[in-house]
Amino acid sequence: MATIPSSHLCLFFLLSLSLSLSLSSSSSESPQNFIIHVSQSQKPSLFSTHHHWYSSILRSLPPSPHPAKLIYTYSSVIHGFSVRLTPTQAAALRRIPTILSVLPDQIRYLHTTHTPRFLGLAESFGLWPNSDFADDVIIGVLDTGIWPERRSFSDAGLSPVPSSWKGTCETSRDFPSSLCNKKIIGAKAFYKGYESYLGGPIDESLESKSPRDTEGHGTHTASTAAGSVVANASLFHYAQGEARGMATKARIAAYKICWSQGCFDSDILAAMDQAVADGVHVISLSVGSSGYAPQYYHDSIAIGAFGAAQNGVVVSCSAGNSGPGPYTAVNIAPWILTVGASTIDREFPADVVLGDGRVFSGVSLYSGKNLPDFKLPLVYASDVGNRYCYLGSLQPSKVQGKIVVCDRGGNARVEKGSAVKLAGGLGLILANLEDSGEELLADAHLLAATMVGQTAGDKIKEYIRLSQYPTATIEFRGTVIGTSPSAPRVASFSSRGPNHLTPEILKPDVIAPGVNILAGWTGKVGPTDLDIDPRRVEFNIISGTSMSCPHVSGIAALLRKAYPKWSPAAIKSALITTAYNVDNSGNNLQDLGTGKESNPFIHGAGHVDPNRALNPGLVYDLDDNDYLAFLCSIGYDSKQIAVFNKQPASLNICETKLARTGRLTSPGNLNYPSFSVEFGSNNDLVTYKRVVTNVGSSADAVYNVKVNAPAGVEVSVSPSKLVFSAENKTQAFEVTFVQGIGSANSASFGSIEWVDGSHIVRSPIAVKWSNELSASM
């Protein structure tokens, strides 16, 4: 007797079920969203993809005036799909043998940038209410200007402009005074250095000479740091929800320093100077040098930041986007808060489905017409023109109607899609190379496109090479929040240490959200910032340490409001010693650049934790004299130091003033909240001194030390107990690092924690052996 295939039985069952239930369906039922878990392995063979199978299942359901609408398909965390159904249709699905579960789609909290929730910030407890959302704190954003009409800069509900504010709003034809309000309290453009470079005036037909942002970057960073609450924000319905900056009541002073050809030191210093004079409390600067960080005395940002810190201003800077190579971090002066970039738990999945059924995860913000409901021919750009898909480099006869795999690098990511589209292609798979690893950046592509990691890219290209008729499609799954992949992870592009100027100072300091961040955008250019993009949006999703920096700037503003007497160094210390080093799955932080476990040379102290920073217990404080002693300790002469202390070189600050106030025998003795040690052939023992100040609620706190020694290093702390009192709010200790017998000549990591039962004051330890250091340069 012949056996009926199980797939035929499944189809017969579906058809019978549809017929038997059709009479009972009610047009009065209200549809709702459901999550459908499916036994993926039971897909009938006649369906080429799970998407086709799911669509067939939905077509078999009882009729309804509200047709079942597939929302997403899932293939990694779960297997199945989400769909909008009537209760009767949902009941019908539950009777299908291959359906494992039908669950209502519960409504969760919606946060567009999502980073406040990811960071643990809440209306009812922690740093937000304890700082009154940084009301009256002024953040100076030095960037490309601001697009003031955006809802993110509404001043609804704000108190009057702080009486301490001394700045003004610069007015012009496209920036009337009415555009400033109680949120944007200052705006000024700095272009003289730029015009000097040009040898003439700015071409105002191409870029605005006013504070108006015609590029988008400044609007994004300003709204990330201190944007007001905006409901129903999104980019093409991606990341839809409520958008808000870190410090929603903080005031913004926008200083435009960057132009189409770059940001000039003269303009940057002028803006920093003006910002301090105007009375800002925090400077947010997502700008830095290219290549290795220059010597501090050659670094205008470091010099300007020193002066700002002298005036009590916190200076928060991006670490740079030159990762994953070592020694790439910039803005690494110890008086600067240096911020690297990490991911959050929100993805925009767009998966590649190959003709052989394999699925590779990707990401995309594409919002246009869907690809045909069948797989398309697949080609590698190297075989049809140029692997990087430069404009005009692809052969239309070999691209027409196909999906093209292009390698990342060489030109703008979205521009590659334009090249494919101009050649007649229908889709793009953007494949990472080794330097980008598994880092995935979502882009608002101009045609159906997705980005995949290096591993997936290599396998897709291998499939093309070995298959006679390679085909593929791309499935776009919208916005997904969850624990897979884990977060945070350090971005591949995030610049990292070791500190090539001063190995004894660990940089970057911390990491913060900087991948696929949604915030306000200019009305002048499209979301890709390319001339070929005609679209205009209110919000945009972009990535970079430029995005992580304003997150920390906003958090610093919250701490400034909560503790107005704290120094910039104390605020930095609170952020460093409360940072965390595990992801939301409980594992150690991972580095997307290497695919391996991250370490303090990559992520500094770890990921910022705003609520814990509100109550750090102890802080490592510093002032400008400490920083001058640091400059002396690294061998700077009086002339080099003069640019920082603004005193004649003849005074010889290292031999006069510091002889009275204290010298540092080593730059590692700077009272920094982290420990970076370099062993060399002539030194196998290093001792650092530190002083901590009790800022906790208990004046009589007692802290005991816990040492997590790096492999190959013996670490001792003296004393091992710190006893504070109302009279003795500060305590000193020494840490001795000894190279162990048979130590490997490589980097090693650990930590020192001071614990009192309520606080864990954690400082990372990074150890480097100098012969390995020099070999890597």
Side-chain angles (χ1 to χ4, degrees), residues 569-594:
I571 290 174
K572 181 202 285 190
S573 175
L575 290 167
I576 288 176
T577 62
T578 58
Y580 60 87
N581 289 272
V582 295
D583 60 28
N584 55 6
S585 65
N587 297 314
N588 290 335
L589 296 178
Q590 298 295 303
D591 174 25
L592 286 170
T594 62

Side-chain angles (χ1 to χ4, degrees), residues 43 66 81 100 129 136 221 233 255 268 296 304 322 342 469 651 743:
K43 177 182 72 66
H66 311 284
F81 56 96
L100 304 178
D136 288 351
T221 56
Y255 301 90
I268 294 172
Y296 307 123
S322 298
S342 55
Y469 300 107
L651 291 180
S743 300

Side-chain angles (χ1 to χ4, degrees), residues 5-15 42 44 53 96-98:
S6 60
S7 60
H8 292 181
L9 285 173
C10 182
L11 286 175
F12 176 78
F13 178 86
L14 292 175
L15 292 172
Q42 292 185 264
W53 180 35
I96 299 175
T98 54

Side-chain angles (χ1 to χ4, degrees), residues 207-422:
E207 52 186 332
S208 174
K209 203 171 179 176
S210 78
R212 182 170 291 279
D213 178 16
T214 56
E215 194 272 347
H217 193 275
T219 301
H220 200 280
T221 56
S223 56
T224 298
S228 300
V229 179
V230 179
N232 299 317
S234 70
L235 172 65
F236 305 135
H237 300 292
Y238 286 99
Q240 191 161 7
E242 182 182 82
R244 62 192 306 163
M246 293 293 98
T248 53
K249 290 186 180 181
R251 316 310 170 98
I252 296 169
Y255 301 90
K256 186 174 181 178
I257 58 168
C258 294
W259 308 88
S260 62
Q261 297 192 40
C263 320
F264 292 80
D265 275 355
S266 54
D267 296 330
I268 294 172
L269 282 173
M272 297 179 85
D273 198 59
Q274 186 66 57
V276 172
D278 288 344
V280 305
H281 302 107
V282 177
I283 287 177
S284 186
L285 183 59
S286 294
V287 173
S289 60
S290 59
Y292 292 128
Q295 285 288 340
Y296 307 123
Y297 63 89
H298 281 160
D299 187 346
S300 292
I301 291 176
I303 296 167
F306 187 96
Q310 282 182 310
N311 285 274
V313 177
V314 177
V315 181
S316 170
C317 292
S318 51
N321 297 339
S322 298
Y327 311 105
T328 50
V330 298
N331 298 322
I332 55 177
W335 48 88
I336 291 175
L337 180 49
T338 311
V339 187
S342 55
T343 64
I344 60 175
D345 60 348
R346 181 183 62 198
E347 294 281 324
F348 308 104
D351 298 337
V352 177
V353 183
L354 299 182
D356 62 8
R358 285 183 292 169
V359 179
F360 295 99
S361 298
V363 297
S364 179
L365 298 171
Y366 173 67
S367 63
K369 184 179 179 181
N370 287 332
L371 290 171
D373 197 23
F374 53 84
K375 291 185 175 64
L376 298 170
L378 181 67
V379 295
Y380 179 33
S382 180
D383 301 326
V384 295
N386 180 278
R387 63 186 291 207
Y388 295 113
C389 296
Y390 295 119
L391 285 172
S393 69
L394 303 177
Q395 302 174 47
S397 62
K398 297 182 178 181
V399 172
Q400 186 81 30
K402 300 177 181 179
I403 295 175
V404 182
V405 178
C406 301
D407 286 335
R408 183 175 174 182
N411 58 342
R413 297 189 299 271
V414 175
E415 187 179 275
K416 297 174 188 292
S418 180
V420 172
K421 188 174 184 179
L422 289 172

Side-chain angles (χ1 to χ4, degrees), residues 316-543:
S316 170
C317 292
S318 51
N321 297 339
S322 298
Y327 311 105
T328 50
V330 298
N331 298 322
I332 55 177
W335 48 88
I336 291 175
L337 180 49
T338 311
V339 187
S342 55
T343 64
I344 60 175
D345 60 348
R346 181 183 62 198
E347 294 281 324
F348 308 104
D351 298 337
V352 177
V353 183
L354 299 182
D356 62 8
R358 285 183 292 169
V359 179
F360 295 99
S361 298
V363 297
S364 179
L365 298 171
Y366 173 67
S367 63
K369 184 179 179 181
N370 287 332
L371 290 171
D373 197 23
F374 53 84
K375 291 185 175 64
L376 298 170
L378 181 67
V379 295
Y380 179 33
S382 180
D383 301 326
V384 295
N386 180 278
R387 63 186 291 207
Y388 295 113
C389 296
Y390 295 119
L391 285 172
S393 69
L394 303 177
Q395 302 174 47
S397 62
K398 297 182 178 181
V399 172
Q400 186 81 30
K402 300 177 181 179
I403 295 175
V404 182
V405 178
C406 301
D407 286 335
R408 183 175 174 182
N411 58 342
R413 297 189 299 271
V414 175
E415 187 179 275
K416 297 174 188 292
S418 180
V420 172
K421 188 174 184 179
L422 289 172
L426 297 183
L428 161 71
I429 299 171
L430 180 56
N432 277 352
L433 301 178
E434 184 179 3
D435 57 349
S436 297
E438 301 308 310
E439 169 187 86
L440 300 181
L441 306 180
D443 291 304
H445 291 282
L446 297 170
L447 86 168
T450 187
M451 171 185 279
V452 298
Q454 180 197 1
T455 301
D458 289 347
K459 291 180 179 178
I460 293 169
K461 285 180 278 190
E462 180 185 48
Y463 165 72
I464 294 172
R465 188 174 67 254
L466 300 179
S467 177
Q468 187 174 5
Y469 300 107
T471 61
T473 190
I474 303 172
E475 296 182 351
F476 301 93
R477 300 200 280 122
T479 304
V480 175
I481 296 174
T483 58
S484 181
S486 60
R489 294 179 292 168
V490 184
S492 175
F493 61 75
S494 185
S495 294
R496 60 269 321 264
N499 184 329
H500 90 98
L501 290 179
T502 317
E504 297 86 352
I505 302 298
L506 184 64
K507 290 287 181 172
D509 291 308
V510 291
I511 56 173
V515 178
N516 298 332
I517 303 302
L518 185 138
W521 195 246
T522 177
K524 179 68 173 178
V525 298
T528 63
D529 204 15
L530 296 174
D531 293 339
I532 57 176
D533 188 353
R535 302 168 297 179
R536 296 296 180 266
V537 296
E538 183 180 5
F539 293 90
N540 197 11
I541 296 174
I542 56 177
S543 302

Side-chain angles (χ1 to χ4, degrees), residues 80-142:
F81 56 96
S82 56
V83 63
R84 191 163 184 79
L85 301 171
T86 65
T88 297
Q89 291 172 322
L93 270 181
R94 290 188 175 98
R95 298 188 185 98
I96 299 175
T98 54
I99 301 299
L100 304 178
S101 177
V102 179
L103 301 175
D105 187 11
Q106 299 292 329
I107 299 175
R108 307 296 181 184
Y109 296 105
L110 294 172
H111 298 272
T112 297
T113 65
H114 186 64
T115 48
R117 185 181 181 191
F118 182 72
L119 289 166
L121 291 167
E123 300 267 359
S124 57
F125 66 89
L127 185 53
W128 267 353
N130 281 277
S131 65
D132 193 19
F133 303 86
D135 186 26
D136 288 351
V137 176
I138 304 163
I139 302 176
V141 181
L142 279 61

